[in-house]
Structure formats: structure tokens, C-alpha cells
Amino acid sequence: MLIKRPRKWELSENLVTPENVFLNRRAFLRGTTASIAGAATLAVAGCGEAAEKTEALAGGEADLTAKAAELFPYPANTSIPIDRPVTDEEVSSTYNNFYEFGSHKRISRAAEALVSRPWKIEITGEVETPITLDVDQLIAQMPLEERIYRHRCVEAWSMTVPWSGFPLAALVDFARPKSSARYLKMQTFMQPSVASGQKQSWYPWPYTEGLTMAEARNELAFMATGIYGKPLGEQFGAPIRLAVPWKYGFKSIKSIVTFEFTGKKPTSFWEEIAPKEYGFWANVNPEVPHPRWSQATEEVLGTGRRVPTLMFNGYEEQVAGLYKGLEGQNLYR
Ligand code: MTE
């Protein structure tokens, strides 16, 4: 990566939210409603459903964050097929790509400098009502669950990770995009004083990624707000990051501040830097090598083993239909 210069997804009855989690969630919503401390942080005063819900949740930010933390662990969606043991937290939390904090894997200490709460998120562009809200106000309105996903980096290493969060489709519904929205563009924070990598002006900061609307609505596209049953650490992209497991890891943008619905295909960070090596689609395909290395196998971190890489990282059944009719494009870079 480094450049110098039955439908398996439907929850079965035994997977419905456990009662204690459900009750905690009701208490959280009641608490936040009761503690209305000020005006909601609406970018545009609107009378849409999202605006109304968010106004009802306006509360002290610290209060919201504490209550959001109490919602862990989220109920497990065990209907997701997974055939590998979860990667040891010690391994996954000390081997990260987060170029804002350095172009190597040992960024976890440096990333602690990021103040990830309170955290504002902007939902903008081709939507009914643009809105800016606190991440915990958003989380409180989302259907929360835990999913175990494979995570395959374009550099040919992989992990298996229990993400906590909510389907990206729920955020799309919340945003109410107009019919003119064809893509969802996402961007990471821009704070060079905290993230020293952002002082390196040859990188096209802020980190940017995008999905088509169909990809964003796919059942696998997930917004992670936690990992290993607790809130995300900064090195994983706190407080909110994308997880799209059928794509190479660089699509899974960390520490997002902006969700922009747009008619124009976004250019992603790595595509901007090296368009011959990284593209918009970046679907995992063992048969299409990266220009500088094979994608046929991957190192499973923490095991000392290399295993064959699977088409769409093993998620072909859920996502292959997204790419019908696009065969002429390079979907695997
Ligand atoms: N998001 C931002 N903002 N900055 C980054 O450098 N790296 C990407 C992706 N998201 C990156 C990012 C890459 S290359 C990978 S492989 C994954 O994050 C790594 O996620 P992990 O550290 O949680 O394993």
C-alpha cells in the first residue's frame, strides 16, 4: 500500500434483541429525551422525520456518550457465516493502517491523541434535509447489532473481527437521499495538529471513500461503532468507521465526519494517489493480481498461516448481484 511519493442476513427468532439490551436501550432513549439541554444541532431547520427525532434526542454530549457506552455489548447477529476464529484483540489492535497517524502499522499509541468524543457528523448533499448531529445522537436511533466479518487488506493480510454497529442502510434511510443521489461519499476528519500524517502534503487529505447507493444499501455494508463488544479504539477509526467486507480494507474508511450523497462518482484517497493500482470498486478477487503482487493468498494475522483468498472475500452470495452489467469495468482494483 505504501507509496512513496434462508436469506442468511435475516435475524431468526433466537437472535432478537435480548430483553436486558432492549430495556437498556429504552432507558437510554428516555434518558436522552428527558435531559433536553439545548437546541438540536440541525444544520438546516427542517420539519423532516430525521430532524424531529434528533431534536428529541438533543442532550448534553457527555451524557449521550456515557449512555451510548452502556448499550454494549450489542446483540449478536450470528446468522453471518464465518469459518475462522476471531483474531486476538492484541494482534488486531496493534497492527493497523491509519495513515493520518503514520505510514506503518504501529500507530495505535499515536492515534490515542485523537479526541473522538464529542464528535459531530454531517449528512449533506442530495438529501431531503442536510443535518449535523452528534455521533451518539445518531447511534441512539440506529438498530444496533454485532457481526463477525472477515477483513482482507489489499496488502494480502487478513483478520476476523467482531464489529458492533448498525447497517449502513439504516443511515441511508435516516438521511433520506433524493433520487439524484447516486453515490455516498465519506470523509475522515482533518486535524493536522493531532494527526501528524496530515502534514504530509503529498497525500490528498482528507481520506475519502465512496460507494454506489446500491452498495451502501447492501445488507453487508456496516457502520462500526465498536469492536470486541466495546466502543472502537481510536486506532480502529473511532467513533465511527465503515466495514465493507467484500472489498479490500482501504474502502473501510475510519473516523468519518462527513456523509455526502452525490450524483458524482467520488475519487477515493488511494485512487487519487495511484490510479493504476487502486480504483473505485476494489472488490476482492484472488484471480486479479495487484500490479505489484499476487492476491491469490493472504496471511491470516496471528496464525502464521497463509490461506487462499476467496472471491469477494467469501461474500459472493450477498454481493455478486451488485455488479451485473458492469463486467466491462475493472471491478477488482
Ligand atoms: N481510513 C483512514 N481514514 N485512513 C487510513 O489510512 N486505511 C485503510 C482503512 N481505512 C485508512 C482508513 C486501510 S488501507 C485498511 S487495510 C483499513 O483501514 C485497516 O483497518 P484496521 O486498522 O481496523 O485493520
Side-chain angles (χ1 to χ4, degrees), residues 189-250:
F189 66 85
M190 187 64 194
Q191 294 180 39
S193 60
V194 172
S196 62
Q198 292 184 326
K199 291 182 183 153
Q200 297 178 319
S201 56
W202 59 90
Y203 287 118
W205 308 112
Y207 199 96
T208 301
E209 262 305 340
L211 299 172
T212 64
M213 289 302 295
E215 289 177 327
R217 289 190 187 278
N218 183 270
E219 57 197 341
L220 286 185
F222 198 62
M223 294 311 311
T225 60
I227 191 167
Y228 298 101
K230 55 194 183 210
L232 284 179
E234 281 72 26
Q235 74 273 47
F236 289 116
I240 186 164
R241 58 93 54 87
L242 182 66
V244 278
W246 71 98
K247 292 180 178 283
Y248 291 116
F250 70 85

Side-chain angles (χ1 to χ4, degrees), residues 142 166-175 216-219 221-223:
M142 294 291 115
F166 55 86
L168 176 53
L171 187 150
V172 172
D173 288 345
F174 175 84
R217 289 190 187 278
N218 183 270
E219 57 197 341
F222 198 62
M223 294 311 311

Side-chain angles (χ1 to χ4, degrees), residues 1 92 95-100 151 153-155 157 159 163 188 205 207 235-236 241 249-255 270:
M1 190 105 227
S92 61
Y95 191 89
N96 303 95
N97 273 333
F98 203 168
Y99 276 67
E100 285 83 343
H151 175 43
C153 180
V154 73
E155 297 164 336
W157 51 261
M159 307 182 186
W163 298 115
T188 296
W205 308 112
Y207 199 96
Q235 74 273 47
F236 289 116
R241 58 93 54 87
F250 70 85
K251 294 293 292 184
S252 290
I253 178 172
K254 298 181 170 182
S255 303
W270 288 105

Side-chain angles (χ1 to χ4, degrees), residues 164-183:
S164 306
F166 55 86
L168 176 53
L171 187 150
V172 172
D173 288 345
F174 175 84
R176 293 187 302 141
K178 297 179 184 165
S179 56
S180 49
R182 296 181 55 219
Y183 299 93

Side-chain angles (χ1 to χ4, degrees), residues 95-116:
Y95 191 89
N96 303 95
N97 273 333
F98 203 168
Y99 276 67
E100 285 83 343
F101 296 99
S103 54
H104 53 87
K105 302 289 183 278
R106 305 287 171 200
I107 53 77
S108 59
R109 293 291 298 276
E112 284 171 16
L114 180 67
V115 178
S116 60

